[in-house]
Amino acid sequence: QVQLVESGGGLVQAGGSLRLSCAASGRTFSAYAMGWFRQAPGKERQFVAAIPGNGIYTYYEDSVKGRFTISRDNAKNTVDLQMNSLKPEDTAVYYCAAMKTGVVDSRLMRDDLYENWGQGTQVTVSS
């Protein structure tokens, strides 16, 4: 089990940038794949980005490719989501999630496989 705390959300104009950060407790952070998901009002939770424990691969939802970048620092137990060229449709609550696994493939895009979730941070993009 890991405890996850997100930070960095806020209000930004379209075209702007935000950087979300997720801090994880525990001593085996590198054993966890990490993901970012988002949920807009009235919509289902959506995959955004994921990175395995070794950080070698990254996965992105199609609409954020080229705009968002996920990265992790296993020494600091953190995973970040750099979001550039933000659009109003990116408005949502963003959640950090952790999955204890050695999986490095596209299964990391499945929210049902993640066991640990943060409380979420609101991102609002104005037009």
Side-chain angles (χ1 to χ4, degrees):
Q1 282 276 19
V2 291
Q3 304 298 319
L4 304 172
V5 179
E6 302 100 334
S7 61
L11 173 64
V12 64
Q13 288 188 334
S17 299
L18 281 175
R19 188 176 184 90
L20 305 184
S21 186
C22 175
S25 66
R27 294 176 290 179
T28 59
F29 182 65
S30 61
Y32 288 82
M34 301 298 296
W36 284 97
F37 295 80
R38 65 187 180 186
Q39 188 166 22
K43 295 187 176 181
E44 294 188 353
R45 186 164 58 195
Q46 177 188 39
F47 167 76
V48 176
I51 187 168
N54 59 16
I56 292 178
Y57 305 103
T58 54
Y59 297 90
Y60 297 96
E61 194 270 331
D62 286 345
S63 70
V64 308
K65 285 180 181 177
R67 300 188 298 123
F68 290 11
T69 302
I70 188 171
S71 61
R72 66 187 296 157
D73 185 334
N74 287 345
K76 296 181 178 179
N77 283 17
T78 59
V79 59
D80 291 347
L81 185 69
Q82 177 66 43
M83 306 186 294
N84 299 328
S85 302
L86 282 161
K87 304 175 181 180
E89 51 264 44
D90 294 319
T91 295
V93 177
Y94 283 70
Y95 297 91
C96 172
M99 180 197 324
K100 191 168 187 181
T101 181
V103 167
V104 297
D105 60 30
S106 61
R107 282 174 287 175
L108 298 182
M109 301 170 69
R110 290 177 49 185
D111 63 348
D112 62 308
L113 297 182
Y114 286 82
E115 309 111 341
N116 306 277
W117 293 82
Q119 81 288 351
T121 185
Q122 177 70 46
V123 171
T124 303
V125 184
S126 63
S127 57

